[in-house]
Amino acid sequence: MRRWLSSFHMANVAVVLAAIGMLATAANAQSMRFVGTFTLPCEASWAGAVLPAGDYKMTLPSVSKDSFIRIDAARGNASVYIPQWSTGDKSGDKDMIVLTVTGDRCVVRALNLADLDMEITYKPISKEELASLQSGKSGRVLALVAVKH
């Protein structure tokens, strides 16, 4: 009888621990403010980091000023952390990365997160740069849609 109670007790403990683990996983998933993917068409400079062209996953765990956006390469195990701070209201209805393209290089200018009603500006475009880009002399402005997951 004592052996049966011990086995019964251990089974209950295992069920409780499994339930706690599932709740912690669900809480962690809910705490993620934004998770999405995007593809860079060229090597991009983003807030001091340089990312090669390719597919990426972006994770924004919170919208606090001292938080970072985690960027993971889809292939391999390379990760980079980009600072994030809200600099204004969203500038469109899509989650997108705004960048300028000059030759085979890109510069990330802003990240618009419509779902979170915020925009993060990394490198504003000056009036001179905008005029040059609009004339088509030095490159173009490109908006990459970040697909939310």
Side-chain angles (χ1 to χ4, degrees):
M1 178 76 169
R2 182 172 222 159
R3 186 176 217 186
W4 180 81
L5 280 174
S6 179
S7 296
F8 180 75
H9 179 66
M10 292 302 285
N12 282 339
V13 168
V15 168
V16 169
L17 289 175
I20 290 171
M22 289 190 321
L23 288 174
T25 301
N28 188 35
Q30 288 176 349
S31 70
M32 292 298 160
R33 298 300 303 239
F34 182 87
V35 176
T37 56
F38 63 94
T39 302
L40 287 174
C42 53
E43 181 179 89
S45 172
W46 189 347
V50 177
L51 303 172
D55 298 326
Y56 292 90
K57 176 182 175 185
M58 174 174 43
T59 306
L60 179 79
S62 75
V63 291
S64 68
K65 290 187 178 208
D66 58 351
S67 184
F68 288 86
I69 300 169
R70 180 179 172 152
I71 309 291
D72 295 299
R75 292 193 174 102
N77 57 0
S79 295
V80 67
Y81 292 88
I82 305 293
Q84 68 94 9
W85 55 91
S86 178
T87 55
D89 294 335
K90 66 180 180 179
S91 59
D93 292 334
K94 293 191 181 207
D95 300 315
M96 64 183 155
I97 300 167
V98 178
L99 44 92
T100 52
V101 181
T102 306
D104 61 349
R105 300 221 18 145
C106 300
V107 175
V108 174
R109 301 298 184 139
L111 172 62
N112 185 66
L113 296 172
D115 293 345
L116 300 178
D117 196 33
M118 65 186 266
E119 181 177 284
I120 304 165
T121 302
Y122 292 98
K123 188 172 184 183
I125 300 174
S126 69
K127 290 180 183 180
E128 295 79 21
E129 284 178 307
L130 185 59
S132 181
L133 289 166
Q134 288 174 337
S135 71
K137 291 179 186 175
S138 67
R140 65 190 202 283
V141 177
L142 182 63
L144 303 176
V145 175
V147 179
K148 187 174 181 185
H149 297 281

